[in-house]
Amino acid sequence: MSSQEALTSYIAAFVAELVQAGVTDVVVSPGSRSTPMAMVMAEHPELQVHINVDERSAAFFALGIAKASGKAVGLLCTSGTAAANYYPAVVEAYYSRVPLVVLTADRPHELRDVGAPQAIDQIHLYGKHVKWFVEMAVPEQTEEMQRYVRSVCARATATATLAPAGPVHLNFPFREPLVPNLQQENLFHLEKRGEGYVTIHQGIPTMQRELIEQFGEKLKKYEKGIIVCGSLEEKRFIEAVTRFADQLQFPIIADPLSQLRSGQHDGTNIIDTYDTFLRNVDAKKALKPDIIIRFGAMPVSKALTIFLNENKDAEQWVVDSGAGYRDPSLLSTSMIYCSESAFCDDIANYVGKKSSSSFLLKWREINDFTKENLLRIREVPQLSEAKLFHQLSEVLPEGATLFVGNSMPIRDLDSFFHFNKKSIKIMANRGANGIDGTVSTALGASTVLDPLYLVVGDLTFFHDLNGLMAAKLYNLNMKVIVINNNGGGIFSFLPQANHRKNFERLFGTPLDLDFKHVIHMYNGSYELVLDWEHFTSSFLRNMQNNGLSVMEMTTNRDTNLKEHRDLWDFVSREISRFLKGDLS
C-alpha cells in the first residue's frame, strides 16, 4: 500500500466524518503543508469551502459563520505562522463561546526543531484558549486508524458545540508527498457506521426539585428584584425570561446583545435606557434591589456594572448553562449551573404569579421618562454618532441583522437603540472586546443572515480592511456605515483625555484616510454622507442593492464628547426633578 493511498484514506475518512457530525462550512487559508486536507475538502459535495488568503481575516470569517449559524465551522491552514495568525479569532471564539474546529497542518515529527522551513512549535499553540487539543497521528490506512481519525473528528465537533461552546484544535502532521489520490474509488464512503462513527449526546441541565424549592421560596419573599440579561443564544430563552419576569414582577435590564430589545415578544418589563438613568444618584437610590439575577455574558454598560457593584449587599445569582464563572466583581452569592430557560420555567411555575409591584412600576416609569427625554437627540442638526443609532432603529428593515463594532458604536447602541417590534438581531464581538477582525466576522455572518448591516468606527474598519476581499470573492451582501471621527473616539471619554500634551499622538491616533479608494478596489460602492436627509435617502437606496456598499459619516470627537455629556447631564437633571416631584 502506498503512502499516497494511506494519506488519502485517512483524510477522506476525517472529512466524511466531519460532514456527518454536522459541519457544512470550512474556511481554508491556502498553503502547501495543508494541501491534502484542502484538496479532499474541496471534493466533498456537501461541504461549502470558503477560501480566504489572509489567515487572520479567515479565522474571523469562520467565527462569523459560526456565530450566525450556531453550528461548528472548520478552519484550515498550513504550518508555521499561518496558524499563529488564527490566534486572535480563537481567543474571541473561546470567550464568546463560538464553536470552531481549527485544523492546522504541521511538519512531521522528524522535521521539527531541526531548522526545517516553516516549522514552529504548534503543540498547544493556543494554550488555554481552546477547549481541547489533539496532536493527530501520522496518516495510516488501517482499520484501527480509521476508527481513530473518525472518533477524534466526532469528539472534536461535539466538544466545540457542547455548552459552553468554543474552539478545539487538531494538529495534523503530514509527510510528503502531499497530493492525495482524488481518483480513489468511493472516496467518502464509510464502510462501517455510515451515518457517523459516534454521536455524543448532551441533555438539558436542570435543577433538582429541592433546589427549585429553595430558590423559589427565596424569590417569594423578594419584591425588589431585577433580572439582568447579557448576550445569550439559547433558543427558548426570550420566551422563558419574559414569562419569568412577568410571574415575579421583576424588570428585565436588557443588554442589546441579549436579543430582548427587538422582536415580537412582550416588551412591557424590558428596561432599555438604564445606561443613562443609572448615572443618576437619585435614580440609583430609588431603584436599589434586594436580589439580582443575571443571565448571559456581562453587559456592555459601565453604568450598569457600577450599579451592580454598588449593591454588594443584595443577593446576586448567576445562571449559566455553560458552568462558567462570569463574575468580574466577585459579588455573586449563588452560581447556578443549569439551562437558563429551564431555570426560568421551573422557578416561574413554582412561585406562580405575584401581585403587581411598585418597585417594577418605578423602574418602568423612570425608563419611560428617560426614553422620552433622550428623544432630544432627534433635534441634533449635525451628523451625530448618538443620533445614528436612534435613526437606525427607525430605518432598519424587519428581520435585519445589525453587527456593531466595539469601543463607541456598541456603547451608543446600548444608549440609543430602544425596544422595537422589528425582530432585529444584534451582533458584536464581545468575547475579548477587541476591534480586530470585526469586518471579517460580519462578512462571515452575512453568509447566513441577510440583510446584514455593519456599523464601525474608522479605526476598527482600517484594522480589518483585508477582510473585504471575502466580499469581492463571494459577492457578499453587506451594508457598512463607517463612523469616521479620525481616531479613537472612546479615549475622549476616558481619564487620559485630561492629559492633552501627548493625547493625540498616543490615543487620538488620527489616520487621515480616504476610504473610498479601498472600497472601489474591492468592487464595493461608496458614498460620503453629507447630512441626515442624505443619510436616509442613501440608506434606503442601498437597501435595494446587492453586494458591498459603504456609507461614511464624518464626525468630530470633541463635539461628540460634548453632545453626549450635555445630553446625559440634561436627562439626569430631569430625572432628579421627576423623582422629587418638581416637574410642573
Side-chain angles (χ1 to χ4, degrees):
M1 181 185 303
S2 71
S3 60
Q4 185 188 46
E5 289 176 332
L7 176 72
T8 305
S9 297
Y10 178 90
I11 295 174
F14 178 86
V15 171
E17 191 69 34
L18 196 66
V19 173
Q20 291 291 350
V23 174
T24 58
D25 291 87
V26 293
V27 180
V28 175
S29 306
S32 177
R33 190 59 53 169
S34 54
T35 293
M37 184 74 78
M39 291 182 68
V40 173
M41 283 179 165
E43 288 295 312
H44 200 292
E46 298 176 41
L47 206 52
Q48 178 70 32
V49 176
H50 310 266
I51 306 299
N52 199 313
V53 298
D54 182 308
E55 284 87 3
R56 188 180 74 163
S57 294
F60 278 106
F61 188 77
L63 177 83
I65 298 173
K67 281 173 73 80
S69 66
K71 301 193 312 184
V73 172
L75 184 60
L76 173 67
C77 72
T78 189
S79 62
T81 55
N85 281 314
Y86 281 171
Y87 210 151
V90 169
V91 170
E92 176 63 28
Y94 181 79
Y95 286 108
S96 57
R97 300 184 176 185
V98 177
L100 292 179
V101 181
V102 183
L103 312 171
T104 56
D106 201 353
R107 300 284 183 173
H109 300 78
E110 65 271 16
L111 290 181
R112 297 178 186 175
D113 202 24
V114 293
Q118 206 168 319
I120 67 171
D121 185 355
Q122 296 178 200
I123 307 301
H124 292 287
L125 178 63
Y126 307 117
K128 294 182 179 180
H129 293 109
V130 291
K131 295 176 66 179
W132 192 43
F133 167 77
V134 178
E135 164 74 342
M136 298 296 290
V138 175
E140 296 177 10
Q141 191 181 30
T142 64
E143 184 178 338
E144 182 180 33
M145 194 57 71
Q146 292 280 311
R147 294 200 304 269
Y148 162 78
V149 74
R150 293 181 63 188
S151 179
V152 170
C153 181
R155 183 179 172 188
T157 308
T159 301
T161 53
L162 297 181
V168 298
H169 177 204
L170 307 183
N171 193 58
F172 286 82
F174 292 138
R175 291 192 176 102
E176 295 182 0
L178 297 172
V179 177
N181 177 18
L182 299 181
Q183 305 307 313
Q184 186 169 302
E185 190 175 353
N186 297 321
L187 185 61
F188 298 110
H189 175 68
L190 298 173
E191 187 173 337
K192 296 182 178 180
R193 304 189 193 182
E195 299 301 315
Y197 191 75
V198 57
T199 303
I200 298 173
H201 304 274
Q202 183 184 43
I204 297 175
T206 58
M207 289 190 297
Q208 296 173 322
R209 185 64 191 176
E210 51 265 36
L211 282 177
I212 296 172
E213 294 173 358
Q214 175 186 327
F215 288 119
E217 287 300 319
K218 281 189 175 183
L219 286 174
K220 284 181 179 180
K221 301 173 184 177
Y222 286 118
E223 178 192 0
K224 296 182 177 181
I226 64 173
I227 301 164
V228 179
C229 294
S231 176
L232 183 62
E233 295 296 332
E234 190 175 311
K235 291 181 180 179
R236 285 193 53 255
F237 179 68
I238 292 176
E239 173 191 349
V241 77
T242 49
R243 176 174 175 265
F244 178 68
D246 183 59
Q247 293 286 94
L248 272 68
Q249 290 292 286
F250 287 178
I252 300 174
I253 290 77
D255 180 90
L257 297 175
S258 68
Q259 311 308 329
L260 284 158
R261 294 252 189 124
S262 184
Q264 296 301 312
H265 53 276
D266 183 9
T268 305
N269 298 323
I270 300 292
I271 306 298
D272 52 9
T273 65
Y274 54 83
D275 184 64
T276 298
F277 66 70
L278 289 180
R279 301 169 189 265
N280 178 277
V281 174
D282 295 324
K284 290 197 284 187
K285 287 180 181 178
L287 301 175
K288 187 176 179 66
D290 294 325
I291 185 167
I292 300 163
I293 305 173
R294 281 208 303 108
F295 300 94
M298 283 299 296
V300 170
S301 171
K302 186 174 181 179
L304 175 57
T305 299
I306 292 172
F307 179 70
L308 299 179
N309 292 347
E310 289 172 345
N311 285 280
K312 58 178 67 70
D313 294 329
E315 281 210 52
Q316 296 201 27
W317 301 353
V318 177
V319 184
D320 185 2
S321 59
Y325 208 89
R326 288 168 155 173
D327 182 23
S329 302
L330 305 177
L331 292 174
S332 297
T333 55
S334 291
M335 284 283 174
I336 304 168
Y337 294 155
C338 74
S339 158
E340 291 85 356
S341 297
F343 176 89
C344 291
D345 291 341
D346 290 341
I347 297 297
N349 291 336
Y350 183 85
V351 173
K353 181 66 180 270
K354 294 171 73 173
S355 58
S356 60
S357 163
S358 59
F359 183 70
L360 170 61
L361 182 60
K362 179 66 69 178
W363 273 88
R364 285 165 46 180
E365 286 177 342
I366 293 176
N367 189 64
D368 291 342
F369 182 81
T370 303
K371 193 178 301 186
E372 180 181 339
N373 281 277
L374 281 174
L375 290 179
R376 281 172 61 100
I377 196 66
R378 293 187 301 193
E379 301 169 11
V380 173
Q382 70 272 15
L383 294 176
S384 154
E385 298 176 29
K387 183 175 178 177
L388 170 64
F389 286 95
H390 171 74
Q391 295 290 95
L392 284 174
S393 66
E394 296 185 347
V395 298
L396 281 171
E398 173 77 26
T401 296
L402 177 61
F403 202 109
V404 184
N406 284 318
S407 297
M408 281 308 297
I410 188 70
R411 288 168 172 81
D412 281 333
L413 173 81
D414 195 7
S415 296
F416 299 102
F417 190 89
H418 302 143
F419 180 78
N420 60 77
K421 292 286 187 179
K422 289 186 174 181
S423 300
I424 296 168
K425 183 177 179 64
I426 307 294
M427 299 181 71
N429 281 346
R430 293 298 292 177
N433 298 0
I435 66 171
D436 45 345
T438 303
V439 173
S440 293
T441 310
L443 282 166
S446 76
T447 68
V448 180
L449 301 169
D450 186 37
L452 187 139
Y453 299 81
L454 170 65
V455 180
V456 288
D458 55 302
L459 290 186
T460 301
F461 192 57
F462 163 75
H463 211 274
D464 193 22
L465 285 176
N466 283 1
L468 294 175
M469 178 57 75
K472 179 180 179 181
L473 287 177
Y474 300 110
N475 194 31
L476 298 178
N477 184 29
M478 186 169 79
K479 318 302 177 190
V480 186
I481 300 173
V482 178
I483 304 169
N484 192 344
N485 55 28
N486 201 22
I490 194 169
F491 291 106
S492 298
F493 291 78
L494 301 180
Q496 50 265 52
N498 297 321
H499 302 271
R500 304 303 301 179
K501 181 179 178 181
N502 291 306
F503 178 79
E504 279 298 287
R505 185 160 65 109
L506 296 177
F507 304 105
T509 58
L511 300 181
D512 296 310
L513 291 176
D514 187 343
F515 286 115
K516 67 174 177 290
H517 303 294
V518 74
I519 304 305
H520 292 155
M521 183 174 75
Y522 290 114
N523 292 347
S525 65
Y526 169 88
E527 194 160 2
L528 179 64
V529 175
L530 302 177
D531 52 40
W532 287 116
E533 183 178 354
H534 184 201
F535 167 79
T536 302
S537 63
S538 178
F539 188 93
L540 295 176
R541 183 172 62 255
N542 284 330
M543 283 173 54
Q544 311 304 318
N545 300 328
N546 288 323
L548 172 68
S549 66
V550 177
M551 298 167 57
E552 183 178 0
M553 173 184 292
T554 56
T555 62
N556 180 277
R557 281 185 268 131
D558 292 337
T559 302
N560 181 56
L561 175 66
K562 185 177 186 302
E563 179 182 279
H564 278 75
R565 287 184 172 168
D566 287 351
L567 182 59
W568 284 329
D569 288 346
F570 166 76
V571 176
S572 185
R573 288 194 301 270
E574 293 300 298
I575 290 170
S576 293
R577 291 178 60 205
F578 172 73
L579 291 172
K580 294 172 183 176
D582 290 344
L583 296 177
S584 56

